[in-house]
Amino acid sequence: QGQAQTGPGVTSLFSPAVTSEQIEHLHRRFKQLSQDQLTIRKENFDSIPDLEFNPIRGKIVHAFFDKRNLRQESDGLADEINFEDFLTIMSYFRPIEMNMDEEQLDRFRKEKLKFLFHMYDSDHDGKITLQEYRNVVEELLSGNPHLEKESARSIADGAMMEAASICVGQMGPDQVYEGITFEDFLKMWQGIDIETKMHVRFLNVDTIAHCY
Amino acid sequence: LVPLLAALVAGAAEARATSDGQLPGAAAMGTGTPPSPSGTAFEETRLHVFTLDYPHVQIPFEITLWILLASLAKIGFHLYHKLPSIVPESCLLILVGLLLGGIIFGAEEKSPPVMNSDVFFLYLLPPIVLDAGYFMPTRLFFENFGTIFWYAVVGTLWNAIGIGISLYGICQISAFGLTDITLLQNLLFGSLISAVDPVAVLAVFENIHVNEQLYILVFGESLLNDAITVVLYNLFKSFCQMRTIKVIDIFAGIANFFIVGIGGVLIGILLGFVAAFTTRFTHKIRVIEPLFVFLYSYLSYITAEMFHLSGIMAITACAMTMNKYVEENVSQKSYTTIKYFMKMLSSVSETLIFIFMGVSTVGKNHEWNWAFVSFTLLFCLIWRALGVFVLTQIINVFRTIPLTFKDQFIIAYGGLRGAICFSLVFLLPPAVFPRKKLFITAVIVVIFFTVFIQGITIRPLVEFLDVKRSNKKQPAVSEEIYNRFFDHVKTGIEDVCGHWGHNFWRDKFKKFDNKYLRRLLIRENQPKSSIVSLYKKLEIKHAIEMAESGMISKVPSSVSLSEYHEGKIKPLSPTEMENMREILTKNLYQIRHRTMSYNRHSLAADANEKQAKEILIRRRHSLRESLRKTNSLSRESTVLAFCCHCC
């Protein structure tokens, strides 16, 4: 198998707790997905069977190629990602450590929420508009064949109204609620401690890769 | 209030004495005795104008008086509003019980009726566990299941054996006069006193509102440890009675544990499914729908008890299984009935249990021994703290969110003992346990200590340690959307890295559920998303709220009317108005559609429901009005804003 070829930049993303074994495990997985190529393209994600049933599959795959998530300066979508980028995306899901201080925790939390925000904001303009929100709700509810499109729309509208009331509070007569900005998004997630929930235990050594 | 109640009880006691055949001045009670059948022809009794026949109604009368007393005591506590926040209700109820016990003891010079263990286990305990199991947050419970199970099984074992052995060590010291208590008896005592009690935990944690995770850990532990308590108790009790103990018996004990636990859960799940299936067909007879819920859950409890399996686990499993499916099959009214009746039953049971505990404490079945009692208390605390600490270090390795020291402290401190150990100690056969009274005293001291001292001090401690509290905010549609979205993201990422995490299993179960279970158990099976059901729930709630508040909308972020002048409204084009009306109509249409379905039963439509419909119709009218006038509700104003933006 050989050593995982990662640049020094990647390991700096991870705190010292991550071992090379864990990176190797992810590398194994990467190779499975890429079929031994050096990069992955969107089509490679089609080979994951369980992902088919996920209603927001499109958004998840999109998130891997989103340049904003890959910490690249430019905007838009990358065509293919290498292992370093793969690890970058995975780093959003690492668990918190006990020895983090307040500032680190806060930065951690913002990073994770930014990842989620980018998934909502599909046109990359920094705001979640009503149309984008409707799109999200429609995708979420796409598993129900009985549900009419109108219901999804009205739910999204109701949710946006709630968001408006939380973020803007009293709205003046001329005000129009443009969309949810990242600051507003942060406000809405205030009560929920996302940093403890948003992690995947792949960083534990003894998980078994799903071979298909 | 208390003297009145005391008089009531004294009157009942006296009346009982009367009916027992001792007649202290029967003339005082009217014309007393019923006509005796043995009267001869010459001693004809005249027609009685007024009779008092207490023995006829004795049992239901006394039961009613007790329950009434319990409820009046509860009212009494809440009259002084600060009291429940300082002292948990359980303490006050025990005090009332003590008082009553003292009165009865003083009046009759014999020990008051001790709480019958059968009454406790068969009638008083099930409603409380049912209530807890039915409203348990299942998601959180299963997320933490490993930890809960670990604490419940290994923790209780640790405590039981630790306390038993250390007490045996103490008993060996001849200075304390306890040398006749054998190791097995000590182990049995350890096993019955180490069980954390769900009733006490509920009573105390109810008021302090710690975060849900902590609550579910302590409470889940108290429920699941029933299996191991039952096994250990029966095991050591039979060991005490057997003359020789072979290795095979120990293995039998271990096998028994699995049977007790798994068997209980299986019975519960089976009956839960049967109950769900039954409610699929009850749409013609809505009135008795709640009955099925209660009957099936109670049936699961007593069936499990019949086989000496864990009744608590059975009824919990039954309630948790039933909950999901029954909720969708029964009407809204039945659901409300179930909820309130369950809460009422459990509240009454809890109150009665604590009062009885107080009453049973007073009396002559005590034996005080300083050494035994104090060391029991000491060991209970030490072993609990040690146990929680050690176990947490181990389980933190496997947990995704490790438990902090604060959490551990609250878990250890929240290990309250209560009525279960109380009843178990009364069930000990005195022939095998000559020092039974000593055990009773020790158990009572431990229970009083945990309920009073720990119960009262846990609230200031929680505040002092700044433990995270639960934030009970209004359920919001957007939050539900985020949660669902987030679940899917996590599942997706787990799929990408090939990791079978919690989400994987949850997803698999959901698929199985949707494919088979829901089709079988739910009548109108439309795959419903939680987002949609929450949204509809909120809409209905909003409509009913409007009806109740007399059509005055109290929507939080409302634009004040003065700010809204005609000139400042952006003139809407007809298409915009149509759009907006369409959105709202669609919403309103769905609500109307749903409320009408509740009328399928012969019960007349509730006044509220009629009003709600009225309101919705009027709302549409008022909407059209508002476009012309300046009057408007804020929802319309933000919708206006939206339509201006999106159109």
Side-chain angles (χ1 to χ4, degrees):
Chain A
Q1 273 205 55
Q3 281 286 49
Q5 297 294 322
T6 63
V10 176
T11 43
S12 68
L13 284 174
F14 295 83
S15 62
V18 175
T19 65
S20 56
E21 288 169 48
Q22 295 164 344
I23 299 187
E24 246 192 65
H25 167 74
L26 282 172
H27 186 70
R28 248 180 284 142
R29 183 64 181 167
F30 182 81
K31 284 182 102 152
Q32 261 178 352
L33 286 174
S34 70
Q35 285 151 2
D36 283 333
Q37 304 287 318
L38 282 175
T39 59
I40 300 186
R41 313 180 80 89
K42 274 207 184 146
E43 297 76 49
N44 295 107
F45 281 92
D46 292 338
S47 55
I48 306 173
D50 285 315
L51 204 58
E52 288 301 312
F53 300 109
N54 201 315
I56 54 169
R57 183 185 171 282
K59 288 210 175 341
I60 295 178
V61 174
H62 186 102
F64 274 86
F65 294 89
D66 191 338
K67 284 203 183 154
R68 296 173 294 176
N69 290 337
L70 297 173
R71 299 168 202 269
Q72 288 168 16
E73 294 313 316
S74 53
D75 208 12
L77 285 181
D79 285 327
E80 51 188 19
I81 55 173
N82 57 19
F83 183 57
E84 203 173 315
D85 300 322
F86 186 71
L87 278 185
T88 314
I89 302 287
M90 287 302 173
S91 75
Y92 288 103
F93 287 88
R94 66 194 206 275
I96 57 169
E97 274 114 49
M98 301 276 269
N99 50 3
M100 281 186 162
D101 59 16
E102 279 298 316
E103 201 203 298
Q104 273 183 314
L105 265 176
D106 196 48
R107 207 170 12 110
F108 206 59
R109 185 188 157 81
K110 280 218 172 88
E111 265 177 31
K112 298 193 177 208
L113 284 174
K114 200 121 187 124
F115 183 81
L116 285 178
F117 185 77
H118 289 156
M119 288 183 79
Y120 277 83
D121 179 23
S122 37
D123 62 1
H124 302 221
D125 64 353
K127 284 199 299 286
I128 306 176
T129 57
L130 181 64
Q131 193 48 48
E132 284 169 344
Y133 206 91
R134 276 188 191 159
N135 178 265
V136 169
V137 176
E138 270 165 24
E139 272 193 14
L140 272 179
L141 298 177
S142 59
N144 293 339
H146 299 271
L147 208 61
E148 312 146 2
K149 222 157 183 265
E150 283 309 311
S151 311
R153 279 185 62 184
S154 48
I155 291 173
D157 295 341
M160 273 302 252
M161 280 188 229
E162 273 173 16
S165 65
I166 296 177
C167 305
V168 185
Q170 301 264 10
M171 282 195 10
D174 270 342
Q175 260 184 305
V176 162
Y177 190 56
E178 289 281 336
I180 307 177
T181 61
F182 185 55
E183 281 69 38
D184 297 337
F185 194 69
L186 282 178
K187 241 188 266 181
M188 290 165 69
W189 280 92
Q190 227 166 26
I192 313 163
D193 52 347
I194 191 74
E195 54 268 21
T196 48
K197 289 194 194 162
M198 185 163 159
H199 57 76
V200 175
R201 278 162 63 184
F202 63 85
L203 291 180
N204 286 337
V205 180
D206 43 2
T207 51
I208 313 160
H210 175 88
C211 294
Y212 46 87
Chain B
L1 185 69
V2 177
L4 170 65
L5 299 167
L8 263 175
V9 177
E14 218 192 302
R16 194 173 351 132
T18 312
S19 66
D20 280 349
Q22 315 151 8
L23 294 160
M29 303 239 202
T31 47
T33 54
S36 66
S38 62
T40 62
F42 300 108
E43 288 187 35
E44 234 174 41
T45 50
R46 302 267 60 119
L47 193 64
H48 290 266
V49 178
F50 173 76
T51 48
L52 176 75
D53 189 4
Y54 185 67
H56 184 61
V57 296
Q58 179 173 354
I59 295 176
F61 198 84
E62 283 181 359
I63 294 177
T64 314
L65 272 185
W66 276 112
I67 299 182
L68 193 59
L69 165 73
S71 316
L72 288 173
K74 256 182 124 95
I75 298 181
F77 301 146
H78 287 274
L79 283 179
Y80 178 45
H81 60 266
K82 272 214 195 141
L83 199 57
S85 59
I86 308 172
V87 183
E89 254 179 38
S90 41
C91 304
L92 297 169
L93 287 168
I94 296 186
L95 283 176
V96 169
L98 276 175
L99 201 65
L100 268 175
I103 295 174
I104 297 180
F105 188 63
E108 286 192 13
E109 274 305 316
K110 67 172 170 53
S111 302
V114 162
M115 174 160 67
N116 192 351
S117 293
D118 268 347
V119 167
F120 172 71
F121 279 114
L122 289 181
Y123 302 114
L124 292 179
L125 186 61
I128 300 180
V129 184
L130 174 63
D131 179 39
Y134 201 78
F135 296 109
M136 173 105 75
T138 30
R139 195 184 146 119
L140 208 54
F141 181 75
F142 284 113
E143 273 176 19
N144 289 301
F145 187 72
T147 317
I148 294 176
F149 193 72
W150 179 249
Y151 279 134
V153 176
V154 182
T156 313
L157 259 177
W158 168 284
N159 276 331
I161 296 184
I163 296 177
I165 295 186
S166 7
L167 272 180
Y168 180 62
I170 296 291
C171 289
Q172 293 303 92
I173 303 176
S174 51
F176 298 138
L178 300 163
T179 41
D180 55 334
I181 306 180
T182 67
L183 175 65
L184 277 173
Q185 289 179 345
N186 274 313
L187 281 174
L188 178 59
F189 182 69
S191 71
L192 67 85
I193 204 163
S194 61
V196 176
D197 188 74
V199 182
V201 165
L202 268 178
V204 166
F205 271 70
E206 201 175 27
N207 291 326
I208 57 178
H209 298 300
V210 291
N211 63 71
E212 275 96 12
Q213 157 123 330
L214 212 47
Y215 167 74
I216 204 86
L217 283 175
V218 184
F219 183 64
E221 181 197 341
S222 65
L223 280 183
L224 287 191
N225 69 16
D226 182 57
I228 194 116
T229 310
V230 164
V231 170
L232 280 179
Y233 183 79
N234 287 323
L235 190 76
F236 287 130
K237 199 162 81 163
S238 358
F239 278 5
C240 284
Q241 289 165 325
M242 295 193 320
R243 258 170 282 145
T244 55
I245 301 168
K246 307 200 182 120
V247 176
I248 190 91
D249 292 322
I250 303 197
F251 281 115
I254 298 178
N256 192 17
F257 164 67
F258 285 106
I259 293 185
V260 164
I262 298 179
V265 170
L266 280 180
I267 290 184
I269 293 183
L270 183 69
L271 280 170
F273 282 139
V274 174
F277 190 66
T278 315
T279 53
R280 187 178 166 174
F281 302 105
T282 55
H283 51 273
K284 296 273 189 332
I285 35 161
R286 293 247 183 227
V287 215
I288 62 170
E289 265 173 348
L291 196 60
F292 285 113
V293 171
F294 293 106
L295 286 178
Y296 276 112
S297 32
Y298 192 57
L299 192 66
S300 70
Y301 183 82
I302 46 185
T303 312
E305 287 288 316
M306 178 170 73
F307 292 113
H308 281 291
L309 305 174
S310 168
I312 291 186
M313 290 184 74
I315 203 173
T316 310
C318 184
M320 284 168 72
T321 317
M322 252 192 333
N323 187 16
K324 279 192 344 166
Y325 306 109
V326 162
E327 211 174 326
E328 300 202 24
N329 279 338
V330 298
S331 70
Q332 183 77 2
K333 282 206 186 82
S334 302
Y335 180 69
T336 313
T337 311
I338 294 175
K339 193 167 100 162
Y340 277 99
F341 201 67
M342 223 180 256
K343 297 265 174 215
M344 185 182 78
L345 274 180
S346 76
S347 177
V348 165
S349 288
E350 193 184 310
T351 319
L352 278 176
I353 289 177
F354 284 115
I355 290 193
F356 271 136
M357 265 211 293
V359 169
S360 313
T361 309
V362 179
K364 295 203 187 125
N365 40 13
H366 290 294
E367 182 195 329
W368 185 267
N369 179 308
W370 273 108
F372 193 77
V373 170
S374 47
F375 275 109
T376 306
L377 188 58
L378 194 66
F379 286 138
C380 278
L381 295 171
I382 294 179
W383 283 102
R384 171 90 185 152
L386 263 181
V388 169
F389 182 71
V390 169
L391 291 178
T392 314
Q393 298 308 314
I394 302 177
I395 197 78
N396 263 346
V397 174
F398 299 97
R399 275 181 70 85
T400 44
I401 310 165
L403 293 170
T404 63
F405 278 119
K406 268 192 234 166
D407 294 333
Q408 290 170 41
F409 180 76
I410 298 291
I411 293 175
Y413 206 70
L416 306 170
R417 275 52 166 197
I420 292 190
C421 12
F422 193 73
S423 316
L424 283 177
V425 84
F426 273 106
L427 277 176
L428 291 175
V432 188
F433 294 91
R435 303 294 288 266
K436 181 173 164 178
K437 290 189 180 174
L438 180 62
F439 288 166
I440 293 179
T441 313
V443 164
I444 288 183
V445 168
V446 170
I447 293 180
F448 273 39
F449 182 87
T450 56
V451 172
F452 279 91
I453 311 274
Q454 284 180 236
I456 295 181
T457 55
I458 199 169
R459 173 181 276 263
L461 269 173
V462 160
E463 284 168 7
F464 174 70
L465 288 175
D466 197 26
V467 175
K468 204 155 42 137
R469 311 295 277 268
S470 71
N471 42 359
K472 293 260 185 276
K473 33 188 191 13
Q474 281 276 17
V477 182
S478 52
E479 207 182 294
E480 189 65 27
I481 293 179
Y482 288 138
N483 279 329
R484 286 288 129 249
F485 188 79
F486 183 67
D487 278 343
H488 288 303
V489 168
K490 245 184 105 166
T491 314
I493 298 285
E494 277 177 1
D495 286 334
V496 169
C497 7
H499 172 72
W500 291 5
H502 257 215
N503 282 36
F504 176 80
W505 290 113
R506 200 191 314 149
D507 238 30
K508 274 258 174 314
F509 175 70
K510 265 207 184 132
K511 269 183 224 147
F512 173 72
D513 189 33
N514 277 334
K515 213 166 156 198
Y516 300 110
L517 293 178
R518 288 179 71 103
R519 280 219 199 117
L520 188 61
L521 299 173
I522 297 183
R523 192 174 355 116
E524 302 157 0
N525 189 20
Q526 292 144 19
K528 247 194 265 187
S529 156
S530 58
I531 301 179
V532 177
S533 13
L534 180 64
Y535 180 68
K536 287 194 174 156
K537 249 190 229 166
L538 287 178
E539 286 279 284
I540 294 170
K541 197 173 129 195
H542 188 66
I544 295 186
E545 266 170 19
M546 278 180 73
E548 281 177 359
S549 62
M551 292 202 288
I552 302 172
S553 150
K554 288 200 186 76
V555 182
S557 61
S558 49
V559 178
S560 64
L561 299 174
S562 55
E563 286 179 26
Y564 226 90
H565 294 303
E566 212 157 354
K568 284 198 186 168
I569 308 176
K570 288 196 173 108
L572 292 172
S573 68
T575 45
E576 287 173 317
M577 261 162 44
E578 248 333 285
N579 257 331
M580 179 185 65
R581 238 180 263 147
E582 231 192 45
I583 291 181
L584 287 167
T585 317
K586 278 288 186 296
N587 289 351
L588 300 178
Y589 173 75
Q590 277 161 355
I591 299 173
R592 290 185 74 191
H593 188 69
R594 179 128 163 109
T595 46
M596 278 207 275
S597 73
Y598 297 148
N599 280 335
R600 270 193 273 157
H601 182 67
S602 56
L603 290 174
D606 198 20
N608 261 353
E609 277 180 21
K610 274 205 190 122
Q611 266 190 23
K613 274 186 263 175
E614 265 301 299
I615 299 313
L616 297 170
I617 301 174
R618 282 190 218 178
R619 214 170 134 188
R620 285 169 74 184
H621 282 301
S622 71
L623 209 82
R624 289 194 203 110
E625 300 292 304
S626 73
L627 294 174
R628 286 181 250 134
K629 293 188 207 163
T630 58
N631 207 4
S632 77
L633 306 168
S634 83
R635 279 192 67 151
E636 281 76 63
S637 72
T638 46
V639 173
L640 274 172
F642 268 122
C643 287
C644 303
H645 171 73
C646 64
C647 301

